[in-house]
Amino acid sequence: MIPKEWDEKRKKTDGGEKKAIIYYVSVSVIFSNEDIILKKIKSTLRIFDENKEEILAIWKIDPQIEALDGIRPALYGEIRDIIQQKKEEGNMIIDDRPDDENELTVYADAYYGDGGYMGHLMSVAKKPVMIADPKITDDME
């Protein structure tokens, strides 16, 4: 079940409803783009923050994220810190629940992230899917 507090976060100040967008970055994309991935994640989260009155971002955390701790502990630590910061800010939903993908495809309006399984599920659900290029950030020329 989708947590009830999500519905509260989805409400606009004018009483309307924000569009819910799933954001997902797989561990494989993180690992294969580690030279720029932190900049990309921060850039994407900044865009979500700038549009928080219209968009409810749901950052679906890859269940395998902790595997990075044994392979690239510094990278894992930085990502973990970003996740914790976003939890504390409360402007988006950090979804680290296992096995909730089908619920998310019903709840969310669109998807932004890598071309992995989560994007595929949203496509099957006939929801808009935007595939991110992990090497391009909003502050690049």
Side-chain angles (χ1 to χ4, degrees):
M1 297 283 296
I2 295 293
K4 290 184 190 256
E5 61 267 14
W6 288 22
D7 289 333
E8 285 302 313
K9 287 185 181 244
R10 195 165 184 175
K11 289 181 184 173
K12 290 183 181 182
T13 54
D14 68 4
E17 190 173 85
K18 298 176 185 181
K19 295 293 183 185
I21 299 179
I22 297 171
Y23 175 53
Y24 179 80
V25 182
S26 68
V27 168
S28 62
V29 168
I30 292 170
F31 188 71
S32 62
N33 295 284
E34 66 182 280
D35 58 327
I36 194 169
I37 199 66
L38 290 173
K39 188 174 186 178
K40 176 62 177 187
I41 289 171
K42 288 175 184 177
S43 170
T44 299
L45 296 176
R46 184 173 47 253
I47 291 168
F48 284 138
D49 283 344
E50 291 168 358
N51 294 284
K52 66 185 174 191
E53 294 302 319
E54 298 295 321
I55 295 172
L56 173 62
I58 304 168
W59 186 359
K60 175 63 182 156
I61 306 299
D62 186 331
Q64 304 300 316
I65 193 76
E66 291 183 10
L68 278 176
D69 193 22
I71 302 167
R72 298 284 190 276
L75 179 62
Y76 171 74
E78 289 187 65
I79 292 171
R80 185 190 61 230
D81 291 348
I82 294 168
I83 291 169
Q84 185 59 39
Q85 175 188 355
K86 289 299 169 186
K87 281 182 180 179
E88 291 170 7
E89 288 174 4
N91 294 332
M92 68 185 313
I93 293 170
I94 305 298
D95 186 12
D96 53 7
R97 301 170 307 141
D99 303 325
D100 63 351
E101 292 83 2
N102 289 330
E103 294 171 358
L104 280 176
T105 61
V106 172
Y107 186 80
D109 297 301
Y111 171 85
Y112 179 75
D114 66 48
Y117 86 104
M118 199 67 229
H120 174 73
L121 288 175
M122 289 294 284
S123 176
V124 169
K126 307 243 186 274
K127 305 280 179 98
V129 173
M130 298 160 279
I131 303 301
D133 184 336
K135 296 190 182 298
I136 297 177
T137 64
D138 70 335
D139 57 353
M140 294 181 140
E141 297 180 5

